[in-house]
């Protein structure tokens, strides 16, 4: 059924996003990117500092962009964990809701 599936999906989003955020510093990929892509990292830091929440939501909604990457970036840049998880849940939760609740209708239309 769609409602339990959606609720489990939301729980899965939070459970899978939190470790990526929490272990971002341990992975130390930010040091690599700072060394090799300093100007791009500076622009990203500046953009996130001004518009953290909308960027996380939009990034998470966009189906081609890897959500784990924005969780990692938020963790490396010390974005508030609650803000990151709420943004990811809203963005990815919205796209998942579209798939879950409207996907069946789309398939019927294609027949």
């Amino acid at each position: 059924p769609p409602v339990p599936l959606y609720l489990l999906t939301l729980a899965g989003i939070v459970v899978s996003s939190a470790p990526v955020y929490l272990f971002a510093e341990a992975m130390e990929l930010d040091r690599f990117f700072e060394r090799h892509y300093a100007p791009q990292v500076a622009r990203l830091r500046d953009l996130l500092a001004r518009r953290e929440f909308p960027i996380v939501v939009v990034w998470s909604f966009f189906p081609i962009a890897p959500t784990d990457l924005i969780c990692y970036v938020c963790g490396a840049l010390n974005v508030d964990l609650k803000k990151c998880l709420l943004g990811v849940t809203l963005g990815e939760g919205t796209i998942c809701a579209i798939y879950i609740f409207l996907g069946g209708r789309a398939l019927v239309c294609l027949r």
Side-chain angles (χ1 to χ4, degrees), residues 6-30:
Y6 183 64
L7 294 175
L8 287 171
T9 300
L10 290 178
I13 291 167
V14 173
V15 168
S16 65
S17 299
V20 176
Y21 175 96
L22 294 170
F23 293 114
E25 288 186 33
M27 290 187 270
E28 297 183 359
L29 290 174
D30 53 327

Side-chain angles (χ1 to χ4, degrees), residues 27-109:
M27 290 187 270
E28 297 183 359
L29 290 174
D30 53 327
R31 293 179 189 177
F32 170 81
F33 288 114
E34 282 282 350
R35 271 192 306 251
H36 293 88
Y37 303 101
Q40 293 90 340
V41 170
R43 278 192 305 226
L44 181 59
R45 282 183 195 272
D46 182 51
L47 186 61
L48 269 174
R50 288 184 280 128
R51 296 194 177 14
E52 289 173 346
F53 190 72
I55 290 171
V56 173
V57 172
V58 170
W59 184 290
S60 300
F61 179 79
F62 191 62
I64 296 173
T67 305
D68 289 348
L69 182 58
I70 196 63
C71 295
Y72 172 80
V73 169
C74 287
L77 298 179
N78 296 315
V79 172
D80 181 55
L81 174 61
K82 291 176 199 164
K83 192 182 288 188
C84 175
L85 291 179
L86 180 61
V88 168
T89 303
L90 275 172
E92 199 167 335
T94 303
I95 195 76
C96 288
I98 292 169
Y99 296 150
I100 291 169
F101 295 109
L102 300 178
R105 291 182 188 171
L107 291 175
V108 169
C109 291

